[in-house]
Amino acid sequence: MEDFDLDTVARKSVKGVFALVSRTFLIQILSVVASFILTIYLAPESFGVFFVVSSIVVFLNYFQDIGLAAALIQKKEAVTTEEYRSTFTLQQTLVLGLIIPALLFSSQIVSFYKLNSDGYILFLALVASFFLSSLRTIPTVIMERNLAFGKLVVPQIAENVVYNVALIVFSILGFGLTTFTIAVISRGVIGLILTYIVQGWSIGLSFKFSAIKQLISFGIPFQANTLLALVKDDLLIVYIGKVLPFNQVGYIGFAQKWAFLPLRLIMDNVIKITFPSYSRLQHDPGALRIAIEKSLFLISFFIFPTAVFIIQYSEFLIDLIPRYSKWEPAILSLSFFALNTVFSSISTPLTNFLNAIGKVKTTLYFMVFWTALTWILTPISIIKFGFNGFAAASFIISISSILVYLIAKRYVNFSFTKPVFRQLFASIIMLIFIVLTKQMISSFATLFLDMLIAGVIYLGILYLMAGSELVKTVKFIMISVRSKK
């Protein structure tokens, strides 16, 4: 059995988080800068087109390996070369089975959404990037199984540099929607090349059903879960692209992008690590309890105050930044999406835990519930409240995700309130300060000062309530990062 003890997994996980966050810190800044420049130079309609077309291609992505990549990561025993090759062969067969119809019906898709020639070329570019991404699956799985996140981060850094630099340069040069086309193709090529440089494998085409039979028993329910996530999220974007004008879809995309930015920068990196880490610890309930509580503590430490900042300060940023007034209609949606991140930051690590211990059918039931709720509430909310109804429904549905805690606790007796209560309390005190002082904000200087004081209040209260735990966490991170094991 290919298991690790708690100390080994903890150190490897901490080093992985540190690698993914610290080594990509400049990339994250670059991504923020690129997004900022795009929102200045591109019209809401261009954002709307990219938002919808991207969701169409994401639809293809969910069918590319029927969950076998996740099954390889979750598998307790060592993975054989035959399993890797059989998975790769089946995956590429599925990918071609998706790409060919996508190309054959591309004209109909373009006609349905009334896209111009730039939109059509963007669709083809995203389909090509989907194929390039599929070729990276096996080496990425190998790195994640080995908790080799230091290697995993190398192609991520390079592809994100290329992608964001292309976005910045070509949007400034006035390429409009073609900016996205150039960026996604460049990212796909660079990412593929570097992935194979840092993690080669004995690539080959072969297929034995006996080699993947066990994987399929986990992979199909897991992929059914992600398929429902597709129907719940991305297919919904495809739907609103037809029922709403592209400028309003652009407002939704703008609000979602900025509100979910903390999740992308912080939680995605943690989640990428917790699934393989929980999988390696599934034999030890005590170790899992500690791992879950630490994950909740760290994620809520960043997400809770960031959500408050987004909700309270976004209107001032939109007002003060030149050429940003066009995004003012998106402020309410931005606030609803920010509230969504608070609940998502709690529920996602727990669904990750359930998947890691093999309870994919349980998470599948949750996804069925959330998908049905989404498709019932969202169209009604859009009819009632316009495009802001999309974000409002998203927030209401996210509240129900707290039910995951009740199920997860059946398998591991972890504390929910202890890891997150202090961050919540400190965030509320910080919120009260902002509400009382934000009427004094009239310039970038006063905005920055108010944000600085609010941040100090949050950290100060948290240090008073959880200072010893913060110190221990920092020390453990420093020791783990320095460790060569």
Side-chain angles (χ1 to χ4, degrees):
M1 183 176 292
E2 192 183 9
D3 292 323
F4 296 91
D5 58 39
L6 175 61
D7 183 67
T8 300
V9 172
R11 293 184 187 279
K12 283 180 172 287
S13 298
V14 168
K15 290 186 74 172
V17 172
F18 187 83
L20 290 174
V21 176
S22 67
R23 295 185 190 182
T24 60
F25 181 71
L26 293 178
I27 305 304
Q28 293 163 358
I29 293 177
L30 182 61
S31 177
V32 172
V33 171
S35 297
F36 175 66
I37 291 176
L38 283 174
T39 52
I40 290 177
Y41 284 93
L42 297 185
E45 290 82 358
S46 295
F47 262 85
V49 172
F50 180 69
F51 201 43
V52 171
V53 174
S54 297
S55 295
I56 295 172
V57 176
V58 168
F59 182 82
L60 302 178
N61 192 58
Y62 280 92
F63 296 95
Q64 67 170 287
D65 71 351
I66 60 172
L68 294 183
L72 290 171
I73 296 173
Q74 192 269 344
K75 188 171 183 281
K76 292 181 179 180
E77 299 80 11
V79 181
T80 65
T81 300
E82 191 62 46
E83 287 174 323
Y84 280 132
R85 288 181 174 177
S86 295
T87 299
F88 180 75
T89 301
L90 178 59
Q91 179 194 33
Q92 296 310 308
T93 301
L94 292 171
V95 166
L96 290 176
L98 293 168
I99 289 177
I100 292 173
L103 295 177
L104 290 176
F105 291 100
S106 59
S107 297
Q108 287 85 343
I109 293 172
V110 169
S111 176
F112 182 76
Y113 285 103
K114 300 179 181 178
L115 301 176
N116 58 21
S117 59
D118 289 342
Y120 176 66
I121 294 173
L122 173 60
F123 175 75
L124 296 180
L126 285 165
V127 170
S129 71
F130 159 68
F131 173 69
L132 296 174
S133 176
S134 72
L135 297 175
R136 301 170 54 183
T137 300
I138 298 302
T140 300
V141 165
I142 294 172
M143 288 186 281
E144 290 193 25
R145 272 194 65 86
N146 295 330
L147 305 181
F149 301 107
K151 293 170 63 178
L152 183 63
V153 78
V154 174
Q156 290 182 352
I157 291 175
E159 68 181 2
N160 277 285
V161 167
V162 170
Y163 179 74
N164 287 298
V165 168
L167 290 179
I168 292 171
V169 171
F170 290 101
S171 64
I172 293 176
L173 291 176
F175 276 64
L177 193 60
T178 305
T179 297
F180 292 111
T181 302
I182 298 171
V184 296
I185 289 295
S186 301
R187 177 180 60 187
V189 172
I190 293 297
L192 175 63
I193 293 172
L194 288 182
T195 296
Y196 274 83
I197 290 176
V198 300
Q199 180 62 65
W201 70 286
S202 183
I203 190 170
L205 295 175
S206 67
F207 184 79
K208 288 185 178 179
F209 181 74
S210 59
I212 61 172
K213 183 178 179 181
Q214 181 183 354
L215 299 175
I216 289 176
S217 64
F218 176 91
I220 290 181
F222 183 91
Q223 197 67 2
N225 205 328
T226 54
L227 174 59
L228 284 171
L230 158 74
V231 175
K232 182 175 73 71
D233 298 323
D234 296 288
L235 198 59
L236 194 65
I237 302 300
V238 174
Y239 161 76
I240 66 168
K242 185 62 178 176
V243 300
L244 291 176
F246 276 125
N247 67 321
Q248 294 186 12
V249 178
Y251 294 142
I252 294 173
F254 169 87
Q256 192 176 85
K257 183 177 183 62
W258 285 110
F260 288 0
L261 184 63
L263 296 181
R264 303 289 80 84
L265 298 183
I266 302 297
M267 196 176 77
D268 280 5
N269 288 324
V270 176
I271 294 305
K272 184 181 289 291
I273 290 166
T274 54
F275 177 62
S277 297
Y278 290 161
S279 297
R280 302 283 72 76
L281 292 172
Q282 59 184 294
H283 63 289
D284 188 345
L288 275 174
R289 176 184 62 79
I290 295 173
I292 292 170
E293 291 180 357
K294 292 297 183 183
S295 298
L296 292 174
F297 178 85
L298 290 172
I299 291 173
S300 59
F301 175 83
F302 292 104
I303 299 299
F304 287 8
T306 306
V308 172
F309 269 47
I310 291 172
I311 293 170
Q312 292 299 316
Y313 291 125
S314 58
E315 61 180 300
F316 298 102
L317 289 169
I318 289 176
D319 182 57
L320 293 171
I321 296 173
R323 301 175 66 175
Y324 237 57
S325 59
K326 61 187 174 184
W327 298 110
E328 187 174 354
I331 290 177
L332 183 58
S333 289
L334 188 62
S335 297
F336 278 125
F337 281 130
L339 289 171
N340 181 318
T341 66
V342 173
F343 291 93
S344 297
S345 67
I346 300 299
S347 64
T348 305
L350 298 182
T351 54
N352 229 22
F353 153 70
L354 290 172
N355 286 332
I357 63 173
K359 304 300 180 182
V360 288
K361 290 185 179 179
T362 301
T363 57
L364 179 60
Y365 297 146
F366 272 112
M367 193 57 66
V368 169
F369 169 68
W370 290 326
T371 301
L373 204 58
T374 298
W375 277 92
I376 292 171
L377 290 182
T378 304
I380 294 174
S381 297
I382 290 176
I383 293 172
K384 185 72 175 177
F385 305 108
F387 74 90
N388 282 315
F390 183 95
S394 174
F395 164 60
I396 293 171
I397 294 164
S398 71
I399 297 174
S400 67
S401 64
I402 201 72
L403 296 173
V404 178
Y405 159 73
L406 300 175
I407 302 300
K409 197 171 176 64
R410 294 179 183 178
Y411 301 102
V412 172
N413 187 27
F414 64 94
S415 172
F416 174 73
T417 56
K418 181 181 177 182
V420 305
F421 171 75
R422 291 161 293 187
Q423 293 91 315
L424 179 61
F425 180 79
S427 297
I428 291 174
I429 298 299
M430 183 182 71
L431 171 62
I432 294 172
F433 165 79
I434 297 173
V435 170
L436 293 175
T437 60
K438 66 179 185 178
Q439 66 270 17
M440 297 185 298
I441 298 174
S442 59
S443 64
F444 277 115
T446 53
L447 174 62
F448 176 76
L449 179 62
D450 201 76
M451 294 174 70
L452 179 62
I453 296 174
V456 170
I457 289 174
Y458 173 77
L459 292 174
I461 293 174
L462 197 56
Y463 182 78
L464 291 175
M465 298 181 68
S468 59
E469 186 170 355
L470 286 172
V471 171
K472 288 179 182 178
T473 301
V474 171
K475 286 183 178 179
F476 182 74
I477 290 173
M478 293 177 65
I479 293 172
S480 300
V481 171
R482 291 172 182 172
S483 173
K484 296 182 179 179
K485 294 182 180 182

mmCIF file with all atom_site columns, all heavy atoms in Angstrom, residues 71 92 156:
data_model
loop_
_atom_site.group_PDB
_atom_site.id
_atom_site.type_symbol
_atom_site.label_atom_id
_atom_site.label_alt_id
_atom_site.label_comp_id
_atom_site.label_asym_id
_atom_site.label_entity_id
_atom_site.label_seq_id
_atom_site.pdbx_PDB_ins_code
_atom_site.Cartn_x
_atom_site.Cartn_y
_atom_site.Cartn_z
_atom_site.occupancy
_atom_site.B_iso_or_equiv
_atom_site.pdbx_formal_charge
_atom_site.auth_seq_id
_atom_site.auth_comp_id
_atom_site.auth_asym_id
_atom_site.auth_atom_id
_atom_site.pdbx_PDB_model_num
ATOM 1  N N   . ALA A 1 71  ? -9.073 9.057  -10.362 1.00 0.00 ? 71  ALA A N   1
ATOM 2  C CA  . ALA A 1 71  ? -8.980 7.701  -9.824  1.00 0.00 ? 71  ALA A CA  1
ATOM 3  C C   . ALA A 1 71  ? -7.526 7.270  -9.663  1.00 0.00 ? 71  ALA A C   1
ATOM 4  O O   . ALA A 1 71  ? -7.177 6.588  -8.694  1.00 0.00 ? 71  ALA A O   1
ATOM 5  C CB  . ALA A 1 71  ? -9.722 6.726  -10.743 1.00 0.00 ? 71  ALA A CB  1
ATOM 6  N N   . GLN A 1 92  ? -7.483 9.847  -24.959 1.00 0.00 ? 92  GLN A N   1
ATOM 7  C CA  . GLN A 1 92  ? -7.303 10.447 -26.277 1.00 0.00 ? 92  GLN A CA  1
ATOM 8  C C   . GLN A 1 92  ? -8.399 10.030 -27.250 1.00 0.00 ? 92  GLN A C   1
ATOM 9  O O   . GLN A 1 92  ? -8.803 10.805 -28.128 1.00 0.00 ? 92  GLN A O   1
ATOM 10 C CB  . GLN A 1 92  ? -5.923 10.084 -26.836 1.00 0.00 ? 92  GLN A CB  1
ATOM 11 C CG  . GLN A 1 92  ? -4.761 10.644 -26.033 1.00 0.00 ? 92  GLN A CG  1
ATOM 12 C CD  . GLN A 1 92  ? -4.932 12.135 -25.754 1.00 0.00 ? 92  GLN A CD  1
ATOM 13 O OE1 . GLN A 1 92  ? -5.159 12.936 -26.654 1.00 0.00 ? 92  GLN A OE1 1
ATOM 14 N NE2 . GLN A 1 92  ? -4.837 12.498 -24.475 1.00 0.00 ? 92  GLN A NE2 1
ATOM 15 N N   . GLN A 1 156 ? 3.195  25.600 -14.815 1.00 0.00 ? 156 GLN A N   1
ATOM 16 C CA  . GLN A 1 156 ? 2.125  26.536 -14.475 1.00 0.00 ? 156 GLN A CA  1
ATOM 17 C C   . GLN A 1 156 ? 2.631  27.974 -14.502 1.00 0.00 ? 156 GLN A C   1
ATOM 18 O O   . GLN A 1 156 ? 1.935  28.882 -14.969 1.00 0.00 ? 156 GLN A O   1
ATOM 19 C CB  . GLN A 1 156 ? 1.543  26.195 -13.096 1.00 0.00 ? 156 GLN A CB  1
ATOM 20 C CG  . GLN A 1 156 ? 0.749  24.905 -13.078 1.00 0.00 ? 156 GLN A CG  1
ATOM 21 C CD  . GLN A 1 156 ? 0.158  24.618 -11.710 1.00 0.00 ? 156 GLN A CD  1
ATOM 22 O OE1 . GLN A 1 156 ? 0.459  25.295 -10.739 1.00 0.00 ? 156 GLN A OE1 1
ATOM 23 N NE2 . GLN A 1 156 ? -0.665 23.591 -11.634 1.00 0.00 ? 156 GLN A NE2 1
#
